[in-house]
Amino acid sequence: DNIKQILLLKNIAIVGMSPNKQRPSYLIANYMINNGYYITPVNPNYKTIDDMECFPDLESLKIKIDTVTIFRKSEFVMPIVKSAIRIKAKAIWMQDNVINQKAENLAKAAGMKVVMNDCFLRRHQLMK
């Protein structure tokens, strides 16, 4: 199953991560960290989030990323997916209400696993 395979991948870039502790991206990132995932925040508006170096885009990352988790509006997804393909990520996870069929098709055509319009935290909890 696609979701199970993605949940096994541990190096995750969170595109659109916010330092605001009330935002879903922040809450889910903390959940991931507490469950053994290595998180890299990607947001051009911040240099650090919670003592983690934050990068302006995927191409700036210094480590290999397995999964790109997207917390951006659907219309901003395509360039993120193109970047994910360039850095050879293995999977794309578009959070709840993030829907971009063309980006999904492009990622799948590039051999990536894709989850769209679903919550990483909720799925991880269901797998436990």
Side-chain angles (χ1 to χ4, degrees), residues 35 48 51 53 84:
N35 281 276
T48 60
D51 297 326
E53 186 175 4

Side-chain angles (χ1 to χ4, degrees), residues 88-99:
K88 297 179 172 45
K90 296 174 185 163
I92 296 287
W93 191 296
M94 295 181 238
Q95 281 294 129
D96 284 343
N97 303 312
V98 181
I99 302 165

Side-chain angles (χ1 to χ4, degrees), residues 7-55:
L7 290 173
L8 292 173
L9 302 172
K10 295 298 182 181
N11 282 341
I12 301 174
I14 299 189
V15 178
M17 185 169 166
S18 170
N20 179 337
K21 292 174 174 37
Q22 306 306 312
R23 304 282 304 165
S25 63
Y26 182 90
L27 296 168
I28 291 172
N30 265 1
Y31 173 86
M32 291 170 162
I33 290 166
N34 291 331
N35 281 276
Y37 292 90
Y38 182 80
I39 299 304
T40 302
V42 177
N43 186 326
N45 300 315
Y46 304 97
K47 294 277 183 237
T48 60
I49 295 177
D50 278 6
D51 297 326
M52 292 182 285
E53 186 175 4
C54 188
F55 295 87

Side-chain angles (χ1 to χ4, degrees), residues 47-95:
K47 294 277 183 237
T48 60
I49 295 177
D50 278 6
D51 297 326
M52 292 182 285
E53 186 175 4
C54 188
F55 295 87
D57 53 48
L58 292 172
E59 283 89 353
S60 303
L61 298 176
K62 298 170 182 161
I63 63 162
K64 182 87 178 97
I65 291 296
D66 297 320
T67 304
V68 175
T69 302
I70 303 173
F71 285 89
R72 296 294 319 274
K73 290 182 178 171
S74 301
E75 60 266 28
F76 300 125
V77 168
M78 185 59 90
I80 297 165
V81 167
K82 287 178 179 175
S83 289
I85 292 167
R86 281 194 291 277
I87 66 162
K88 297 179 172 45
K90 296 174 185 163
I92 296 287
W93 191 296
M94 295 181 238
Q95 281 294 129

